[in-house]
């Protein structure tokens, strides 16, 4: 995987957008096959994951255990559908395996487990990611490694105390090889985010993180924020991403209850057509 | 709840892991939340709290009936328990909901000290206990009884069905101190007869039996009854003792029941270590009783994801497993 150290050209951006569309296609295939899933969150995260895996991160799809790899820590385990899509797009998983999403005996459960190649942690109990990412970043520094750690977590996870304990740790231990990608999609299990978490960026800044806020569905903005996050200045970096659940499929974007989508086959087919119509 | 859908697709998990439909069983929707809403109309000191699991823990009927007494604290289970403890110490009876795993594993310290140690009137309705879930180890509370048993002054209840659960919701308001209940949500089967009476701390003989005695808790008691009926056709008459209260444990009734049989089966939707099975064995040992005993429950492991039918068959806690234990004694 080559890291583009220059700003992405129009050609690069087009390539990343194509990757993001491929991720959305894969996710729709998985969710429609299972008949249900956390599709809205997955679609919202596609642009971030495409940018990470096809622009920013250094890894070897043939050797997921490579010590010098950049780690992507997906804290929000129920976003697994997005994780599997990007792992397949990157060639870590075979695309043939994707239709087993959520089925009995599958390596691709509804929530992430680290038995799946390319998955760094067990993720279904929320609020576990950032602390482990801090630990990984500390260990990499200890080893003198240039590898970095990218940790996704959700706005709901900002309500867990463990996330803030980890935030304090990341700053205290000067993890400038750590980038938090905070997916503020505005929803949680019971509906819109209820308990106040904003101003997220100000809070992270107050906790000692260098913080940027971007539209998480704008690939160019993501590449710029990630480029800025490379700076080795003794501070961990946080990118607050405002994402739209269901991005790319207006019907899902307009859905009232987007946290978990269970609809019948014909509706899934219509949504896949909509994805192609809107983006294809 | 609109969330609940009937029918299962073969080989597929149910999204949010409600109990599976068993053909021919009468069910009730959201018995927990409906009963709590009723009870709160009678008692103004009841409050209800959740940690972003309102929709998935059946507390919404309470919220809709008493919006001013409902609090969603966000996804913050430790804070859920602390706030509940604080309200309880200020005169309220605080019913709280989320999934069992997030109460037991994340908020344990707070349940022990903020609640149980102070005998705070906190009633924890913990969802999706045991293997009732397609999400794998992160969502399967397979050691919750073991963990909670370790906390002094805590009452622990594992109800069998909707009939019992509704009585438990009411009983909790009068049980002094903190109670941990393994909640059943969604379309909850009605298994026990209309005459069934829940009494905290009391085990109940559901079926007298002659050949083998099954001691069980939670909805495993319904499995035991189903299996006993099937085994009857093979000429074996199994007795069933239902032990809904895990703590305080009704050792007296367990001993009386156990002494009537040459062989025993103990069944729980939990690991066979640290829960009901351990309690029964400790009780028998203390009384100097040793007899053949088959354990139906989960091994000491983390479990995979899958449909409830798939997991129950794979890990040996389905009805055929009970029938084999009764009929073949293995
Ligand atoms: C510790 C923990 N508590 C509760 C849950 C149940 N749960 C699953 S998703 C979810 C919502 C969390 O918010 P967020 O990740 O922002 O949700 P989304 O954007 O996907 O709707 C909750 C409470 C969990 N998985 N882990
Ligand atoms: Mg969210």
């Amino acid at each position: 995987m080559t890291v583009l150290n220059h700003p992405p050209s129009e050609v690069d951006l087009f390539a990343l957008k194509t990757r993001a569309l491929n991720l959305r296609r894969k996710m729709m295939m998985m969710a429609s096959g299972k008949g249900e899933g956390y599709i809205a969150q997955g679609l919202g995260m596609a642009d971030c994951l495409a940018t990470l895996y096809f622009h920013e991160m250094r890894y070897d799809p043939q050797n997921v255990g490579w010590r010098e790899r950049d780690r992507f820590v997906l804290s929000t385990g129920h976003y697994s559908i997005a994780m599997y899509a990007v792992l397949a797009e990157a060639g870590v998983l075979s695309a043939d395996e994707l239709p087993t999403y959520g089925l009995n005996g599958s390596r691709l459960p509804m929530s992430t487990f680290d038995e799946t190649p390319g998955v760094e942690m067990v993720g279904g109990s929320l609020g576990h990611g950032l602390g482990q990412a801090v630990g990984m970043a500390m260990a990499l520094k200890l080893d003198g490694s240039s590898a970095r750690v990218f940790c996704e977590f959700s706005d709901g996870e900002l309500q867990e105390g463990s996330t803030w304990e980890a935030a304090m740790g990341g700053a205290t231990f000067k993890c400038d090889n750590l980038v938090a990608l905070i997916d503020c999609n505005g929803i949680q299990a019971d509906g819109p985010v209820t308990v106040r978490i904003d101003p997220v960026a100000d809070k992270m800044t107050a906790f000692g993180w260098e913080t940027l806020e971007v539209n998480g569905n704008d690939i160019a903005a993501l590449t710029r924020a990630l480029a800025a996050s490379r700076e080795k200045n003794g501070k961990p970096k946080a990118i607050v991403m405002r994402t739209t659940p269901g991005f790319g499929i207006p019907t899902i974007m307009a859905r009232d209850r987007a946290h978990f989508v269970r609809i019948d086959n014909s509706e899934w087919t219509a949504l896949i057509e909509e994805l192609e119509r809107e983006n294809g | 709840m609109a969330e609940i859908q009937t029918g299962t697709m073969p080989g597929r998990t149910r999204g949010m892991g409600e109990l599976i439909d068993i053909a021919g069983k009468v069910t009730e929707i959201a018995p927990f939340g409906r009963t709590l809403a009723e009870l709160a109309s009678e008692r103004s000191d009841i409050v209800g709290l959740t940690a972003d699991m309102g929709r998935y823990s059946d507390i919404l009927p309470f919220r809709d009936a008493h919006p001013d007494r409902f609090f969603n604290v966000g996804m913050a289970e430790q804070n859920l328990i602390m706030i509940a403890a604080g309200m309880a110490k200020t005169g309220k009876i605080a019913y709280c909901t989320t999934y069992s795993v997030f109460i037991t594993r994340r908020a344990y310290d707070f349940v022990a000290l903020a609640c149980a140690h102070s005998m705070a009137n906190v009633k924890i309705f913990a969802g999706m206990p045991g293997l009732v879930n397609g999400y794998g180890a992160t969502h399967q509370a397979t050691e919750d009884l073991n963990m909670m048993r370790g906390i002094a002054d805590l009452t622990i209840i594992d109800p069998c069905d909707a009939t019992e659960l509704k009585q438990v919701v009411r009983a909790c308001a009068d049980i002094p101190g903190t109670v941990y209940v393994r909640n059943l949500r969604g379309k909850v089967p009605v298994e026990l007869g209309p005459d069934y009476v829940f009494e905290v701390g009391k085990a109940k003989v559901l079926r007298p039996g002659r050949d083998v005695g099954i001691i069980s808790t939670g909805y495993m008691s319904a499995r035991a009854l189903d299996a006993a009926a099937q085994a009857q056709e093979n000429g074996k008459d199994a007795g069933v003792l239902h032990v809904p209260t895990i703590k305080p444990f009704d050792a007296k009734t367990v001993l009386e029941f156990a002494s009537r049989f040459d062989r025993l089966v103990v069944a729980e939707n939990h690991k066979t270590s640290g829960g009901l099975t351990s309690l029964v064995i400790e009780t028998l040992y203390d009384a100097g009783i040793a007899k053949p005993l088959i354990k139906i429950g989960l091994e000491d492991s983390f479990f995979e994801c899958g449909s409830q039918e798939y997991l129950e068959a794979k890990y040996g806690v389905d009805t055929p497993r009970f029938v084999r234990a009764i009929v073949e004694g293995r």
Side-chain angles (χ1 to χ4, degrees):
Chain A
M1 187 73 207
T2 42
V3 176
L4 302 175
N5 280 312
H6 53 83
S9 65
E10 284 305 312
V11 178
D12 299 330
L13 280 180
F14 181 77
L16 289 176
K17 282 184 183 154
T18 307
R19 292 290 193 179
L21 177 58
N22 286 344
L23 298 187
R24 293 189 166 96
R25 288 179 171 135
K26 288 186 162 70
M27 292 184 226
M28 287 303 288
M29 185 264 281
M30 284 184 266
S32 61
K34 168 100 175 101
E36 61 187 15
Y38 296 90
I39 189 66
Q41 296 90 327
L43 295 171
M45 276 295 290
D47 301 303
C48 169
L49 290 178
T51 310
L52 279 175
Y53 276 80
F54 300 102
H55 177 67
E56 188 67 20
M57 273 175 35
R58 183 178 67 177
Y59 62 97
D60 177 0
Q62 306 312 317
N63 181 10
V64 290
W66 179 39
R67 279 192 65 83
E68 287 299 312
R69 72 186 180 283
D70 288 343
R71 272 78 174 163
F72 176 65
V73 177
L74 181 88
S75 184
T76 318
H78 63 279
Y79 287 13
S80 67
I81 195 164
M83 189 78 220
Y84 305 147
V86 80
L87 289 174
E89 183 73 12
V92 175
L93 295 173
S94 152
D96 297 342
E97 198 171 344
L98 295 183
T100 70
Y101 169 66
L103 302 190
N104 292 335
S106 169
R107 287 202 305 178
L108 311 180
M110 294 277 276
S111 189
T112 48
F113 285 86
D114 52 8
E115 286 100 41
T116 308
V119 174
E120 304 279 0
M121 64 165 261
V122 173
S125 181
L126 298 172
H128 279 222
L130 190 59
Q132 296 187 62
V134 169
M136 291 175 191
M138 290 168 70
L140 288 169
K141 280 171 83 90
L142 210 52
D143 289 350
S145 167
S146 62
R148 297 197 294 157
V149 182
F150 297 88
C151 177
E152 173 281 342
F153 57 92
S154 66
D155 41 9
E157 291 185 272
L158 285 169
Q159 295 166 351
E160 289 287 356
S162 58
T163 300
W164 296 103
E165 294 172 23
M168 285 184 272
T172 300
F173 297 111
K174 300 189 169 49
C175 296
D176 54 10
N177 54 348
L178 171 60
V179 182
L181 296 148
I182 311 176
D183 181 35
C184 293
N185 66 359
I187 59 167
Q188 59 187 115
D190 276 341
V193 167
T194 42
V195 167
R196 185 176 159 189
I197 52 166
D198 276 316
V200 178
D202 289 351
K203 283 180 178 161
M204 291 303 288
T205 306
F207 273 62
W209 292 59
E210 202 141 279
T211 310
L212 283 172
E213 183 155 340
V214 300
N215 173 351
N217 297 116
D218 177 344
I219 290 179
L222 285 165
T223 59
R224 286 193 297 273
L226 285 165
S229 77
R230 294 174 199 156
E231 202 189 334
K232 290 275 181 288
N233 59 357
K235 284 180 157 197
K237 312 297 182 305
I239 302 176
V240 177
M241 305 186 299
R242 300 287 165 184
T243 59
T244 304
F247 195 83
I249 304 186
T251 302
I252 301 184
M253 289 162 73
R255 231 180 112 96
D256 198 22
R257 289 173 54 175
H259 173 75
F260 188 71
V261 176
R262 182 189 286 166
I263 50 180
D264 63 34
N265 281 344
S266 59
E267 286 176 272
W268 283 114
T269 311
L271 291 176
I272 291 171
E273 283 164 16
E274 191 176 330
L275 175 69
E276 295 303 332
R277 208 169 46 243
E278 296 286 328
N279 308 275
Chain B
M1 310 262 100
E3 215 62 32
I4 308 310
Q5 220 186 307
T6 54
T8 47
M9 290 178 281
R12 297 189 172 194
T13 55
R14 300 291 295 280
M16 296 306 287
E18 55 272 15
L19 283 174
I20 56 168
D21 299 323
I22 302 165
K25 293 229 158 147
V26 177
T27 56
E28 275 191 36
I29 294 178
F32 161 70
R34 289 171 176 222
T35 309
L36 187 61
E38 270 169 35
L39 183 65
S41 301
E42 299 158 23
R43 305 182 60 147
S44 61
D45 51 356
I46 286 177
V47 294
L49 301 97
T50 189
D52 193 28
M53 284 280 101
R55 189 174 281 167
Y56 301 107
S57 71
D58 281 356
I59 202 173
L60 296 191
F62 169 85
R63 178 201 66 182
D64 295 342
H66 308 282
D68 52 328
R69 284 192 262 158
F70 172 77
F71 304 94
N72 185 343
V73 306
M75 187 174 66
E77 294 76 13
Q78 298 177 337
N79 202 31
L80 172 77
I81 297 301
M82 288 191 282
I83 289 179
M87 294 186 93
K89 289 169 190 182
T90 317
K92 305 299 176 195
I93 305 177
Y95 282 72
C96 344
T97 69
T98 178
Y99 292 166
S100 306
V101 277
F102 307 133
I103 289 292
T104 55
R105 295 178 185 159
R106 185 149 312 180
Y108 191 77
D109 189 21
F110 302 88
V111 175
L113 300 179
C115 300
H117 194 288
S118 303
M119 295 287 284
N121 254 327
V122 175
K123 319 299 173 181
I124 302 165
F125 280 73
M128 297 205 295
L131 214 52
V132 189
N133 185 292
Y135 279 67
T138 57
H139 286 61
Q140 293 158 346
T142 51
E143 75 284 309
D144 63 325
L145 295 178
N146 186 10
M147 291 179 73
M148 300 321 263
R149 234 192 100 190
I151 298 179
D153 292 336
L154 181 73
T155 301
I156 305 172
I157 303 170
D158 190 4
C160 171
D161 75 338
T163 303
E164 184 161 56
L165 177 57
K166 290 191 292 185
Q167 297 184 40
V168 169
V169 173
R170 290 188 158 272
C172 273
D174 297 313
I175 297 171
T178 308
V179 186
Y180 174 82
V181 181
R182 293 184 117 198
N183 202 3
L184 301 165
R185 69 159 200 203
K187 287 171 79 184
V188 180
V190 177
E191 307 275 2
L192 302 169
D195 300 335
Y196 179 82
V197 178
F198 167 79
E199 287 175 274
V200 65
K202 291 271 187 315
K204 298 275 158 135
V205 177
L206 300 182
R207 199 186 142 105
R210 200 166 16 95
D211 303 316
V212 52
I214 306 176
I215 303 170
S216 54
T217 185
Y219 78 84
M220 284 294 154
S221 293
R223 293 284 146 82
L225 287 174
D226 290 345
Q230 285 181 33
Q232 188 84 59
E233 292 158 22
N234 293 297
K236 290 282 185 210
D237 186 6
V240 178
L241 179 71
H242 173 49
V243 190
T245 313
I246 296 296
K247 190 171 180 161
F249 191 63
D250 187 358
K252 183 168 164 283
T253 308
V254 167
L255 283 175
E256 278 164 17
F257 181 81
S259 62
R260 291 182 25 232
F261 299 94
D262 294 333
R263 32 186 208 99
L264 299 171
V265 175
V266 184
E268 60 190 316
N269 180 20
H270 185 267
K271 290 182 194 174
T272 56
S273 55
L276 179 69
T277 314
S278 295
L279 276 161
V280 169
I281 292 172
E282 288 164 21
T283 304
L284 295 177
Y285 184 91
D286 287 349
I289 297 172
K291 46 180 79 179
L293 181 152
I294 294 175
K295 301 172 184 176
I296 297 182
L298 304 167
E299 64 198 60
D300 187 20
S301 171
F302 287 116
F303 301 92
E304 67 192 271
C305 311
S307 66
Q308 196 187 346
E309 301 92 318
Y310 168 81
L311 294 174
E312 288 196 352
K314 179 157 181 178
Y315 296 106
V317 289
D318 56 354
T319 309
R321 173 71 192 94
F322 280 80
V323 175
R324 175 155 63 89
I326 300 168
V327 175
E328 299 173 31
R330 62 180 181 89

